[in-house]
Amino acid sequence: MEENPAKNHYAQLNQGEENEMEIFGYKTQGCRKALCIAGYILSCGALLLLFYWKPEWDVWANCIPCSLEEADIVLLRTTDEFRIYSRKTVTWISVSALIKSRLDYPAPAEEDSIFSRAIMKPSLQVKSIQVQKIHYVWNIYAKQFQKVGALEDHHTCSAIHARFGSGLTCCEQNFRRVICGPNTIDVPVIPIWKLLIKEVLNPFYVFQLFSVCLWFAEDYMEYAVAIIIMSLLSIFLTVYDLRQQSVKLHRLVESHNNIMVTVYRNKEGFQELESHHLVPGDMLVLKEGKTLLPCDAILISGQCVVNESMLTGESIPVTKTQLPQADNSKPWRMHCAEDYKKHVLFCGTEVIQTKADDRGVVKAVVLRTGFNTAKGDLVRSILYPKPMNFKLYRDALRFLMCLIAFAGIGMIYTVCVFALNGEEAGEVVKKALDVVTIAVPPALPAALTTGIIYTQRRLKKKGIFCISPQRINMCGQLNLVCFDKTGTLTEDGLDLWGLLPSERNCFQDVHNFPVDQSLPWGPVFRAMVVCHSLIVWEGKIQGDPLDVKMFEATNWVIDDCSGHHVEGQGSTYATVVRPGPKASSVPVEGVTILHQFPFSSALQRMSVIAQEIGGEQQVFTKGAPETVAMLCRAETVPLNFESKLLLYTAQGFRVIGLAWKSLQAGKQSTDVTREEAESDLTFLGLLIMENRLKKETKPVLEELSAAHIRSVMVTGDNIQTAVTVAKNAGMIPPTDRVILVEANKIPGSFSASITWKLLEENKPKDYGSLEDHSHTERRIRLALGSSQYHFAMSGKSYQIIGQHFRHLLPKLLMNGTVFARMSPGQKSSLVEEFQKLNYFVGMCGDGANDCGALKVAHAGISLSEQEASVASPFTSQTPSIACVPELIREGRAALVTSFCMFKYMALYSTIQYLGVLLLYWQINSFGNYQFLFQDLAITTVIGVTMSFTGAYPKLVPYRPPSQLISPPLLLSVVLNILFSLSMQIFGFVVVQEQPWYSKTDIHSACLSENKSVENSSFTSSLELHGMRDGALEETDNGYKSYENTTVWLLSTINCLIVALVFSKGKPFRQPIYKNYVFVLVLVGQLGICLFLVFADIDDLYSKMDLVCTPTTWRISMVIMLAVTLAVSFLVEEALIENRPLWLLLKKTFRYHSKSHYKRLQQVLEQDSSWPPLNETFFSDSVAISVQENMGGHSNPTFDSNEDTL
């Protein structure tokens, strides 16, 4: 941090989070403000407009730097590459009325909270700012702004139970409400006048306004009116669209803003109040039945089943359990690690079932309110989207600057020409400014977005919805796609294939489903009956598809009664399962599920405490076989456990481990910790599920592979299962080898080891043994030498490599294809690591546990039934990966369309600019209707229809260029400008050499043909040149000349030539003839232009400021245009679009790609020692310190609290 002249002038807001900002303190100074006001008046508001566009200039002009403590204005700057500034005014909240009633307030319990540390003495005021809907208050001790509206992170589990378990007092509640503000996610519908003003003050429309004023001054009445109508139409359409979005968002959130809730008040008992009165720390009481959650809350007693589909697009109900009363000094979130979400109820989700414990009520402590909540965060991400850093937009701005410089040259030329001819100063200024409006096409930004709008519509028809349209162009650049496995590559519903029971540390015979007779009553059967988190909702058994299949195989049913009294447990609500009508006879009436430890991605298991009606309490655990086996007593695990597991996972089965134990009598189920329950278990066996590939998976992955787009699997499943699925899906070709990378921490030290092993095909007799014969080694080396190898690793290994072998990570990612047992946080980290290698990464998943990765990727595609899942920018209603190549195709087409439009707009304005500058040489210009025809009848119509061309159905093995400033594109623009310039100059000069040409008599050409002289013609010719004396009466006569007619006709038809030549078809878009509307428009426009060339209708020519020329000259012009078309088309096809030629040039000039992964690829190809097979490396004793990420994700529902890499 740099030291500023003013002490404490600078600080960081939300350090380490996604919305991190720098904050600077400023104090308003009277004399500076007075000078600025004078500047506003003298500049007629231009300075004010400039300050509106640049808030930092406003602050620097009006204020002086000071410490944040003294500041009355703060300047905020984002820490990303965009460095966007915003200005905020500091406000003061008075709390004196609340404190006078109790002089000793804040209470001792509040002393360590931000609420007591923010009160300024003796004024009893709190200094506050609001940034992107979040409130921050000034902490007078820490000397920084801190977020309010959420419980502080430092509370331990026991402190939350002790401090907030009995509720806040009324006084504490009022005090917190004044500082935090209401618990509402308030998105007011923006008034139309506000939207209108904001839109009108856009630099694009301000430039339009400047142009219109200039055209009115030059008597371009019709043209100016037409532009005003178009601009107004554009403004109204944009405002209407923004208003619709505003109304939609308002409706989305208003339902949760005011619902009645029950809270428990310290000393006052239960109270009913409106949800907008809730504050962090309040004790919320959840009643039976469905409830919408108005805030984020930590469950501290009882259990809930919640539908989180609103946030995640995942329709499976989620079970939430109470926060443990762990008595240690760790903050509650760190204590619960990644499982903290299992105790948190999120705002916007729906509680569909509550189960009270023996204390009788389900209670939760309010964790976050308003915009701090999960739903609030989601709404903020829609209100304040992250700007996209895409080269296309940056290059477009640079190109615009070049055009402005180009216009500057034209202005100097214009001033010189007109001044030397003795024109009035006012006229010279008008003509010079006119050049700017011609050279810089004001419709350029709009033209760039038309392609994206049409693509969005095409995607919507195909069931792909997009909430971030600017990412569509990004999809055209994707060269690596990460796929989740279950439900994405494979079918969501698993089929139960069989059960491999274990008795006395030996596996028994496989029990197949559904062929074999029903399972005998015993621990394995009980595990299948109770070890799940299923519920009955709306008359159907709901929950994880794996749990549903397992439970259905037993033919038991869930008793839908709400409460059951359990012996020795007091009054408690519990799920009871009983034998169904088709079930085989069993010696029990039913089994009660007393307590659940829900499934956790981090722990890779779930457990339940259950009790046979009238029997003893037992613990049942199911999860990843390796994890479950580690929790079991060693003597109960079969010796051939690993080889059996490998046998089934290698065939692509999904394998689940089962275990159990009896609990000692007399112990309350609620008092048993997860650690106690999941220890000293007895291994029961393996449940084998068949995980079928979706029919679309293999063809899609083959298509991506053919297009040189890498596919990577990122899954939470077993590594062997994942590798087999990758092979079956074609992600790993049959001839390629798989190398297993294993990293382990060395016990008792800070170092780690990493090993490379060849994962052999499983042979029934020899499970995965490594062949050491010399000929085999040689064969493997040959295979590996030609890059035909893939790395597979687990999440644990990935984590250790990130900490201890950081230098190896990029090398491993170059050929890493399977990443198994990955937690949600590791998935996000992996995507970011790929991006660091300059890959454009797509992520396709189910939207729930992949949410972080979906948001981090360049293009996240969620397979969800909801129209717009907030989990990702793209949502496909068809639950298959077929949407991925579709999106890439459309993205490539949109990107190429943007380039075509850009080139066309640049050329059109340059053609017009060159034509006008040529005519300025003779103190002439284009007429009003001539401009109108070129701008409206030609360019606007082409701009709208050129983008209709759809995507080419085949993905080619290379991507379109990602930047405008690329040699082929620049060469194309420059050459076409030269062709246009040559043709216009040729026409301009040659027409003056014609025998019928006369500078003064504009009818001489046709008169020499007709041999008839009319006085009127001579008069009109005199009137034409009267314009130089300013004595011009008729507006249309000032521009008539042979040069004007020649240059205008050539430049107008040249615009059509350019549109045709630049309309790229294959390989990224469909052939041009498939865009019927565009072809029809071009043919129609060409017909009209040729009609204007050859027609000889006096009224029409008079209106269009054209003059009659001999037929031979008209034919000559058509020949000139035909030659230009031929040359332009030939150059575009043979040079610009000649991919082999550009590749040869790259090779000749030894051009090396700037992409990190390509450079690394070249290095690895030359490294004979890579990969180091059957070797083990050891890290240094000092590991890279890995920061705890306490909430960097964009959606708190999916915060990962694990070590991020």
Side-chain angles (χ1 to χ4, degrees):
M1 192 188 296
E2 291 176 9
E3 271 300 316
N4 283 71
K7 200 182 173 201
N8 301 328
H9 164 62
Y10 160 92
Q12 280 198 317
L13 208 60
N14 308 324
Q15 198 163 3
E17 292 181 37
E18 193 183 31
N19 55 343
E20 184 181 82
M21 288 182 174
E22 293 169 319
I23 181 168
F24 304 89
Y26 286 90
K27 197 190 281 181
T28 312
Q29 205 180 34
C31 57
R32 280 176 171 242
K33 195 155 192 174
L35 281 170
C36 285
I37 291 167
Y40 302 155
I41 297 162
L42 293 171
S43 65
C44 303
L47 186 64
L48 195 62
L49 186 64
L50 190 65
F51 284 169
Y52 170 78
W53 291 336
K54 289 276 187 185
E56 65 272 30
W57 293 3
D58 181 14
V59 174
W60 295 335
N62 281 284
C63 312
I64 53 164
C66 68
S67 70
L68 283 164
E69 199 166 6
E70 300 168 327
D72 59 1
I73 298 283
V74 292
L75 189 62
L76 296 148
R77 182 173 69 190
T78 58
T79 52
D80 57 18
E81 63 220 270
F82 301 100
R83 319 279 277 181
I84 297 164
Y85 282 93
S86 54
R87 171 190 186 277
K88 297 287 167 192
T89 306
V90 175
T91 54
W92 294 88
I93 303 167
S94 174
V95 290
S96 55
L98 296 169
I99 291 179
K100 274 173 195 164
S101 59
R102 273 188 65 184
L103 295 169
D104 60 339
Y105 195 84
E110 287 277 7
E111 276 176 14
D112 66 338
S113 80
I114 180 64
F115 299 102
S116 61
R117 291 165 180 258
I119 302 168
M120 299 234 177
K121 313 276 189 333
S123 62
L124 298 180
Q125 286 185 317
V126 175
K127 190 175 178 178
S128 159
I129 56 170
Q130 190 183 348
V131 182
Q132 292 188 350
K133 306 277 186 187
I134 299 283
H135 288 279
Y136 298 84
V137 296
W138 179 255
N139 183 329
I140 50 181
Y141 299 102
K143 303 271 186 229
Q144 64 180 33
F145 279 103
Q146 280 184 353
K147 196 184 286 187
V148 286
L151 274 192
E152 286 97 332
D153 282 333
H154 62 74
H155 292 296
T156 62
C157 294
S158 53
I160 287 175
H161 281 276
R163 169 73 189 87
F164 304 107
S166 52
L168 298 174
T169 63
C170 204
C171 200
E172 286 173 325
Q173 210 260 2
N174 290 337
F175 186 71
R176 287 178 175 231
R177 193 188 310 152
V178 166
I179 292 175
C180 296
N183 170 38
T184 54
I185 301 172
D186 194 21
V187 183
V189 176
I190 307 164
I192 289 173
W193 65 268
K194 263 192 183 176
L195 288 170
L196 209 57
I197 289 171
K198 197 176 174 186
E199 194 60 28
V200 167
L201 294 180
N202 183 320
F204 164 64
Y205 289 116
V206 171
F207 181 62
Q208 286 280 48
L209 185 69
F210 157 76
S211 305
V212 164
C213 294
L214 184 66
W215 295 328
F216 272 123
E218 291 192 330
D219 281 343
Y220 289 152
M221 291 296 180
E222 294 92 336
Y223 185 60
V225 169
I227 292 295
I228 287 171
I229 292 166
M230 278 183 67
S231 297
L232 286 175
L233 195 68
S234 171
I235 288 170
F236 286 130
L237 281 172
T238 310
V239 167
Y240 173 75
D241 196 36
L242 289 170
R243 172 79 175 186
Q244 290 295 96
Q245 284 175 22
S246 181
V247 169
K248 201 174 176 182
L249 200 55
H250 176 75
R251 284 182 186 152
L252 176 79
V253 296
E254 71 175 340
S255 58
H256 297 171
N257 278 346
N258 221 354
I259 53 178
M260 294 306 290
V261 291
T262 306
V263 293
Y264 185 79
R265 282 267 172 275
N266 197 345
K267 300 175 184 167
E268 293 171 38
F270 296 105
Q271 271 187 15
E272 283 252 330
L273 75 153
E274 291 177 336
S275 62
H276 66 83
H277 292 306
L278 290 173
V279 295
D282 258 334
M283 168 59 66
L284 197 61
V285 179
L286 297 168
K287 300 281 183 69
E288 278 184 52
K290 289 187 181 179
T291 319
L292 272 178
L293 282 161
C295 59
D296 287 0
I298 310 169
L299 197 62
I300 61 164
S301 79
Q303 192 173 307
C304 290
V305 178
V306 184
N307 174 16
E308 291 188 342
S309 63
M310 162 59 213
L311 284 179
T312 65
E314 183 72 68
S315 56
I316 295 167
V318 182
T319 303
K320 302 285 183 175
T321 57
Q322 66 185 48
L323 185 76
Q325 289 207 8
D327 201 13
N328 62 17
S329 57
K330 269 189 176 179
W332 72 277
R333 221 188 262 202
M334 283 176 73
H335 171 78
C336 302
E338 199 171 277
D339 270 348
Y340 84 92
K341 295 192 290 285
K342 297 293 174 194
H343 314 302
V344 179
L345 305 168
F346 293 104
C347 177
T349 62
E350 186 181 33
V351 175
I352 51 181
Q353 202 177 75
T354 56
K355 295 178 186 175
D357 58 13
D358 52 352
R359 284 163 285 185
V361 283
V362 179
K363 294 191 288 190
V365 172
V366 175
L367 173 64
R368 290 180 285 247
T369 57
F371 280 96
N372 292 285
T373 61
K375 186 170 182 185
D377 197 75
L378 186 156
V379 173
R380 286 194 315 120
S381 71
I382 297 169
L383 288 172
Y384 309 103
K386 278 184 78 177
M388 286 297 297
N389 179 21
F390 194 50
K391 289 173 187 168
L392 176 70
Y393 302 111
R394 281 181 299 163
D395 290 351
L397 282 172
R398 285 180 194 159
F399 204 85
L400 220 49
M401 292 301 147
C402 292
L403 288 176
I404 290 168
F406 206 36
I409 297 165
M411 282 175 80
I412 295 163
Y413 162 83
T414 307
V415 169
C416 294
V417 169
F418 278 83
L420 289 171
N421 275 279
E423 287 291 329
E424 288 176 14
E427 198 64 31
V428 174
V429 169
K430 277 195 275 184
K431 291 289 179 194
L433 290 174
D434 212 7
V435 172
V436 181
T437 68
I438 294 165
V440 183
L444 187 66
L448 282 179
T449 55
T450 51
I452 293 172
I453 293 162
Y454 294 138
T455 306
Q456 201 175 353
R457 280 190 199 157
R458 284 199 294 270
L459 287 171
K460 198 171 181 180
K461 282 179 188 170
K462 289 167 183 171
I464 302 168
F465 299 93
C466 172
I467 59 168
S468 179
Q470 64 269 49
R471 285 194 190 239
I472 291 173
N473 275 341
M474 286 284 218
C475 295
Q477 284 296 304
L478 295 184
N479 54 1
L480 185 147
V481 185
C482 295
F483 294 98
D484 180 33
K485 183 180 76 70
T486 312
T488 304
L489 297 173
T490 59
E491 294 288 355
D492 211 354
L494 301 160
D495 287 332
L496 196 58
W497 182 84
L499 175 77
L500 191 64
S502 167
E503 275 179 39
R504 294 183 300 280
N505 84 347
C506 286
F507 281 117
Q508 308 299 304
D509 293 337
V510 175
H511 178 96
N512 287 96
F513 292 97
V515 188
D516 295 3
Q517 70 261 39
S518 57
L519 271 170
W521 175 251
V524 177
F525 191 88
R526 287 202 295 279
M528 288 176 67
V529 161
V530 296
C531 200
H532 54 72
S533 54
L534 300 174
I535 62 156
V536 175
W537 182 30
E538 294 174 351
K540 263 175 78 182
I541 291 176
Q542 301 269 7
D544 188 287
L546 186 148
D547 286 358
V548 174
K549 285 282 180 191
M550 179 185 76
F551 185 71
E552 283 175 350
T554 64
N555 289 320
W556 279 43
V557 292
I558 296 174
D559 195 338
D560 200 16
C561 302
S562 51
H564 298 276
H565 184 79
V566 183
E567 285 176 49
Q569 295 287 318
S571 172
T572 184
Y573 288 80
T575 304
V576 175
V577 289
R578 302 181 190 276
K582 293 179 183 174
S584 54
S585 60
V586 288
V588 293
E589 186 192 329
V591 184
T592 308
I593 301 168
L594 302 174
H595 190 72
Q596 271 186 39
F597 299 104
F599 176 77
S600 147
S601 300
L603 300 175
Q604 296 173 344
R605 62 181 180 270
M606 74 158 292
S607 297
V608 294
I609 299 172
Q611 182 178 19
E612 288 175 22
I613 294 173
E616 61 172 2
Q617 291 184 29
Q618 296 163 335
V619 176
F620 293 94
T621 299
K622 84 168 192 305
E626 311 93 294
T627 310
V628 171
M630 282 165 66
L631 302 172
C632 294
R633 299 197 314 277
E635 65 270 17
T636 67
V637 180
L639 295 169
N640 61 342
F641 168 79
E642 286 190 11
S643 60
K644 279 284 182 190
L645 178 61
L646 200 57
L647 176 70
Y648 290 106
T649 54
Q651 293 172 59
F653 288 115
R654 180 149 183 204
V655 184
I656 307 293
L658 299 172
W660 81 297
K661 76 170 179 183
S662 292
L663 270 185
Q664 61 193 69
K667 190 151 189 183
Q668 291 265 18
S669 65
T670 48
D671 296 338
V672 180
T673 64
R674 189 161 194 160
E675 288 72 25
E676 280 178 71
E678 295 173 343
S679 61
D680 296 327
L681 300 169
T682 301
F683 187 74
L684 285 176
L686 300 173
L687 197 65
I688 302 155
M689 319 284 285
E690 200 169 10
N691 204 186
R692 294 198 187 97
L693 278 179
K694 288 182 180 175
K695 64 177 189 295
E696 304 89 352
T697 299
K698 201 167 182 181
V700 165
L701 293 177
E702 281 170 355
E703 185 179 5
L704 293 177
S705 175
H708 290 188
I709 295 166
R710 254 184 85 183
S711 300
V712 171
M713 188 192 291
V714 191
T715 177
D717 207 342
N718 172 285
I719 194 158
Q720 188 69 55
T721 306
V723 168
T724 309
V725 170
K727 285 184 172 180
N728 293 344
M731 209 178 257
I732 299 173
T735 53
D736 290 8
R737 295 294 176 127
V738 179
I739 298 167
L740 182 66
V741 181
E742 275 186 341
N744 293 294
K745 283 187 178 169
I746 297 166
S749 77
F750 291 107
S751 61
S753 66
I754 183 169
T755 310
W756 282 263
K757 290 182 198 164
L758 197 65
L759 202 67
E760 272 297 307
E761 281 296 324
N762 251 310
K763 301 170 185 79
K765 290 177 187 171
D766 180 19
Y767 299 112
S769 68
L770 292 165
E771 299 168 3
D772 295 320
H773 309 303
S774 57
H775 74 276
T776 312
E777 268 309 319
R778 220 172 351 219
R779 182 166 54 79
I780 292 163
R781 278 271 161 233
L782 282 169
L784 298 182
S786 57
S787 298
Q788 295 170 340
Y789 61 92
H790 301 260
F791 292 128
M793 70 181 83
S794 66
K796 186 182 104 197
S797 296
Y798 172 75
Q799 188 92 358
I800 293 166
I801 291 163
Q803 290 172 11
H804 296 269
F805 301 97
R806 189 85 206 162
H807 63 290
L808 289 176
L809 191 61
K811 288 182 173 186
L812 290 166
L813 293 183
M814 287 303 300
N815 286 78
T817 302
V818 175
F819 296 85
R821 294 277 184 241
M822 296 285 276
S823 67
Q826 287 168 341
K827 288 182 180 183
S828 311
S829 163
L830 179 71
V831 169
E832 286 177 323
E833 289 298 333
F834 275 127
Q835 287 172 333
K836 285 177 190 171
L837 292 175
N838 301 125
Y839 276 109
F840 277 83
V841 186
M843 172 75 200
C844 185
D846 60 13
N849 58 352
D850 304 318
C851 178
L854 288 167
K855 287 214 159 186
V856 169
H858 290 111
I861 309 148
S862 165
L863 306 182
S864 164
E865 289 174 15
Q866 303 219 336
E867 183 167 313
S869 162
V870 292
S872 64
F874 298 97
T875 308
S876 168
Q877 282 192 320
T878 315
S880 86
I881 62 166
C883 59
V884 175
E886 195 57 63
L887 197 56
I888 295 171
R889 274 194 287 272
E890 289 293 353
R892 288 179 172 188
L895 192 54
V896 172
T897 300
S898 293
F899 287 143
C900 293
M901 281 303 302
F902 196 90
K903 282 165 69 175
Y904 174 72
M905 293 306 285
L907 250 295
Y908 137 74
S909 58
T910 310
I911 289 167
Q912 201 177 65
Y913 166 84
L914 294 172
V916 168
L917 290 192
L918 270 177
L919 293 176
Y920 274 4
W921 188 254
Q922 291 203 327
I923 317 300
N924 197 345
S925 183
F926 287 157
N928 204 341
Y929 285 105
Q930 289 177 334
F931 273 128
L932 205 59
F933 185 82
Q934 275 191 356
D935 288 356
L936 295 187
I938 303 286
T939 303
T940 307
V941 181
I942 284 176
V944 170
T945 57
M946 191 191 251
S947 308
F948 284 164
T949 312
Y952 193 64
K954 187 178 182 294
L955 278 178
V956 289
Y958 51 91
R959 299 172 295 159
S962 63
Q963 51 192 56
L964 279 169
I965 317 295
S966 65
L969 218 133
L970 284 179
L971 188 65
S972 173
V973 170
V974 169
L975 287 177
N976 277 284
I977 287 172
L978 289 175
F979 298 153
S980 301
L981 183 64
S982 308
M983 180 178 66
Q984 289 189 31
I985 290 174
F986 184 74
F988 183 79
V989 171
V990 173
V991 75
Q992 294 174 2
E993 304 299 315
Q994 298 305 308
W996 42 262
Y997 172 79
S998 164
K999 199 168 186 175
T1000 51
D1001 183 2
I1002 55 165
H1003 292 277
S1004 58
C1006 290
L1007 290 178
S1008 61
E1009 279 191 352
N1010 301 337
K1011 304 275 193 254
S1012 61
V1013 180
E1014 289 182 23
N1015 291 332
S1016 61
S1017 65
F1018 188 68
T1019 317
S1020 67
S1021 75
L1022 290 174
E1023 280 177 356
L1024 161 71
H1025 293 282
M1027 84 179 250
R1028 291 178 68 170
D1029 306 319
L1032 186 64
E1033 293 296 320
E1034 291 177 58
T1035 55
D1036 62 334
N1037 285 348
Y1039 308 109
K1040 289 181 179 175
S1041 72
Y1042 292 118
E1043 291 89 345
N1044 172 296
T1045 300
T1046 303
V1047 169
W1048 185 79
L1049 287 170
L1050 289 176
S1051 63
T1052 305
I1053 300 175
N1054 197 5
C1055 287
L1056 300 181
I1057 289 171
V1058 166
L1060 181 67
V1061 169
F1062 285 167
S1063 290
K1064 298 280 187 305
K1066 290 197 294 186
F1068 303 114
R1069 302 201 308 164
Q1070 286 186 341
I1072 190 67
Y1073 56 79
K1074 289 275 183 83
N1075 185 350
Y1076 308 117
V1077 181
F1078 180 62
V1079 170
L1080 209 65
V1081 160
L1082 273 185
V1083 169
Q1085 288 173 334
L1086 185 64
I1088 293 166
C1089 290
L1090 289 175
F1091 176 72
L1092 286 173
V1093 171
F1094 290 104
D1096 203 355
I1097 304 162
D1098 285 344
D1099 288 348
L1100 178 67
Y1101 267 36
S1102 176
K1103 202 77 176 159
M1104 292 300 296
D1105 295 312
L1106 297 172
V1107 293
C1108 176
T1109 54
T1111 311
T1112 50
W1113 179 245
R1114 299 177 199 202
I1115 292 166
S1116 305
M1117 282 196 287
V1118 172
I1119 292 166
M1120 279 185 242
L1121 288 161
V1123 169
T1124 307
L1125 171 64
V1127 172
S1128 189
F1129 194 79
L1130 201 70
V1131 165
E1132 198 73 17
E1133 288 301 310
L1135 182 64
I1136 310 300
E1137 294 295 303
N1138 189 340
R1139 190 174 151 76
L1141 176 69
W1142 288 102
L1143 289 173
L1144 184 71
L1145 287 170
K1146 275 185 181 181
K1147 209 172 178 182
T1148 311
F1149 293 104
R1150 295 191 175 174
Y1151 169 81
H1152 294 296
S1153 172
K1154 288 176 187 169
S1155 297
H1156 190 45
Y1157 74 92
K1158 282 198 173 168
R1159 293 209 297 267
L1160 197 57
Q1161 211 168 8
Q1162 288 166 354
V1163 171
L1164 292 179
E1165 278 170 8
Q1166 289 157 9
D1167 187 355
S1168 58
S1169 63
W1170 184 262
L1173 204 60
N1174 297 337
E1175 288 183 35
T1176 302
F1177 292 173
F1178 295 93
S1179 72
D1180 299 332
S1181 56
V1182 182
I1184 296 164
S1185 69
V1186 177
Q1187 294 294 314
E1188 285 283 347
N1189 177 11
M1190 293 305 291
H1193 273 322
S1194 44
N1195 191 339
T1197 322
F1198 309 101
D1199 270 357
S1200 162
N1201 189 44
E1202 64 192 6
D1203 294 348
T1204 48
L1205 300 171

